[in-house]
Amino acid sequence: MSAIAISDKNITLAALQSIAKGSTASSIHLDVISVATYSDFVSVVERAVHFALRKLSLNPELRQEHSEDQLTIEVVNMLSTFDLDAAHEAKVGGHCDISINGPYDFLWLGEAKKHVQAYAWLLQGFQQLDARYSTGLAGQDTGGLIVYSNYPRIDKTMASWRQHLLDHHPNISCEEVCEQTASFLSAHVHQGTGRNLSVRHFACSLYFRPTDQDKKKKDKSK
Amino acid sequence: MSRVVSDSAAQNLCFAIIDFLAQESEANLESLSFLRLSKIAGKQAADAELLRALAILVGTRVRALESHFYFIDEDEAEYQVDKTAVSEARRSGVFIHPHKGDPVENFEDHLVMYFSPTQRVLDLKRGSE
């Protein structure tokens, strides 16, 4: 564990960043301490969500039969280990899957859906986030939609979902498509406030079909 | 605190700092450096554990401390800096000297973080006196 000897002149922001270097948790803790704007808060939340989803993807074989709620509770528990004020199904206009409170009344809301072939289910989650849960107020106008998928090629799933969203939601834009995470950002006018509501669409691959087992079965059958 | 964080090491650091906030006079709490908080927490160095404890104490669930920044220039002059200015500088990569108006190279080497108790803590202290 990196540490800086105690001398005030040394404990600059650069020194703190070097302490946090290499550790997502420490990096998030440092950013939590320094949050000044809503953009800072959203950045911390999104990094933490990406980290949690990567952790889920590490052992997909254990999560094939998990329900949406089971997966989301795991995500919320991981977000809490970063000491974010995260909750599952807190009452916000209804029971939003993930709510994260920040300083200065900042709020981030997330819906989570397990992809089951038809994209209408994902669209329902998006609409819940948009029309039922999001306030659209300043400091509360960014959220997330998490897509869990047991199917292969989540990159194609997210591309198809993006197109479905563009086809079925008036005046929405989709941008910041990330090749590494298959995530993207949508933006549209919130009907309640007239402000822009941004939603980060996160991908979580839980695909598990090991081919070595297929080979073993074939060998046994000979 | 135990409902907020289950890690006992982090709990102990947080309790040590909270005890200090409760016992010390307001005047001595205005500017808490990493040096002071490290010693209060019984640490020989500022490390990831201390970062975690401070994230808990600054975070929404506890709200015991607020963070601030000051800038030290090459002449060792110190300037209070707004957190939003630091946030913008980290985002853009450019920090402007608060007095001279010039961009500062390697500005992160010149920004120092310190802490103060939140109004919530001060109200609790005053209420208990």
Side-chain angles (χ1 to χ4, degrees), chain A:
Chain A
M1 181 166 57
S2 160
I4 303 289
I6 295 179
S7 161
D8 248 343
K9 292 287 189 255
N10 284 348
I11 309 182
T12 60
L13 182 58
L16 294 173
Q17 287 170 334
S18 76
I19 291 173
K21 195 175 177 182
S23 164
T24 303
S26 292
S27 175
I28 288 175
H29 289 144
L30 177 57
D31 286 347
V32 165
I33 292 168
S34 332
V35 161
T37 65
Y38 186 55
S39 179
D40 292 341
F41 173 67
V42 169
S43 175
V44 170
V45 167
E46 291 188 352
R47 281 170 55 215
V49 170
H50 275 304
F51 181 84
L53 297 181
R54 284 168 67 93
K55 285 288 191 185
L56 285 192
S57 295
L58 276 179
N59 293 109
E61 74 283 7
L62 303 176
R63 298 182 169 96
Q64 294 298 290
E65 305 304 322
H66 274 32
S67 66
E68 271 176 9
D69 275 350
Q70 284 174 308
L71 293 169
T72 303
I73 286 169
E74 280 199 76
V75 170
V76 169
N77 287 342
M78 280 191 267
L79 295 176
S80 297
T81 66
F82 290 125
D83 302 301
L84 290 171
D85 187 5
H88 177 246
E89 293 202 338
K91 182 81 166 57
V92 182
H95 293 281
C96 192
D97 286 337
I98 304 174
S99 59
I100 304 177
N101 291 288
Y104 318 117
D105 231 10
F106 295 156
L107 179 64
W108 184 96
L109 297 177
E111 267 296 291
K113 290 295 187 192
K114 199 167 178 182
H115 178 49
V116 286
Q117 286 191 315
Y119 291 95
W121 185 238
L122 301 184
L123 185 63
Q124 186 175 327
F126 180 83
Q127 288 168 336
Q128 283 172 322
L129 185 64
D130 174 27
R132 183 182 289 272
Y133 306 134
S134 291
T135 66
L137 297 171
Q140 303 187 351
D141 52 10
T142 301
L145 179 75
I146 297 174
V147 178
Y148 306 116
S149 175
N150 289 9
Y151 295 100
R153 296 300 300 269
I154 198 164
D155 57 327
K156 292 187 176 180
T157 299
M158 294 301 284
S160 298
W161 161 233
R162 194 164 69 246
Q163 189 57 56
H164 188 87
L165 192 58
L166 288 165
D167 292 342
H168 288 82
H169 198 288
N171 303 315
I172 198 168
S173 67
C174 293
E175 52 194 45
E176 291 186 25
V177 178
C178 177
E179 194 183 307
Q180 284 179 343
T181 61
S183 67
F184 65 92
L185 185 73
S186 70
H188 69 282
V189 173
H190 186 266
Q191 285 303 302
T193 60
R195 298 174 55 79
N196 238 16
L197 181 72
S198 297
V199 177
R200 181 77 61 187
H201 301 250
F202 297 89
C204 181
S205 173
L206 297 173
Y207 175 67
F208 183 71
R209 189 186 290 183
T211 55
D212 56 325
Q213 283 185 356
D214 290 343
K215 183 180 181 304
K216 280 180 187 170
K217 282 180 185 170
K218 282 181 186 168
D219 289 345
K220 277 185 180 174
S221 67
K222 283 182 183 169

Side-chain angles (χ1 to χ4, degrees), chain B residues 31-48:
Chain B
S31 178
L32 299 169
S33 65
F34 256 97
L35 168 68
R36 246 179 121 195
L37 289 170
S38 297
K39 288 182 175 175
I40 289 161
K43 301 220 96 174
Q44 295 306 307
D47 59 13

Side-chain angles (χ1 to χ4, degrees), chain B residues 15-35:
Chain B
F15 277 133
I17 294 171
I18 288 174
D19 282 344
F20 173 80
L21 293 177
Q23 289 162 22
E24 199 66 21
S25 68
E26 264 189 55
N28 282 344
L29 297 177
E30 284 177 1
S31 178
L32 299 169
S33 65
F34 256 97
L35 168 68

Side-chain angles (χ1 to χ4, degrees), chain B residues 52-117:
Chain B
R52 182 171 184 209
L54 290 172
I56 293 165
L57 294 171
V58 168
T60 319
R61 290 183 292 176
V62 176
R63 285 188 296 126
L65 290 174
E66 293 174 333
S67 65
H68 312 273
F69 283 97
Y70 64 89
F71 166 71
I72 306 176
D73 70 10
E74 288 172 348
D75 301 322
E76 302 281 321
E78 296 180 3
Y79 303 88
Q80 200 71 25
V81 180
D82 192 81
K83 271 170 68 171
T84 53
V86 174
S87 168
E88 176 57 27
R90 291 177 77 187
R91 190 196 62 76
S92 67
V94 177
F95 179 81
I96 302 298
H97 192 293
H99 186 66
K100 297 174 184 173
D102 301 322
V104 177
E105 270 189 41
N106 303 315
F107 63 87
E108 284 152 337
D109 286 321
H110 298 271
L111 288 169
V112 178
M113 190 186 284
Y114 69 96
F115 300 84
S116 64

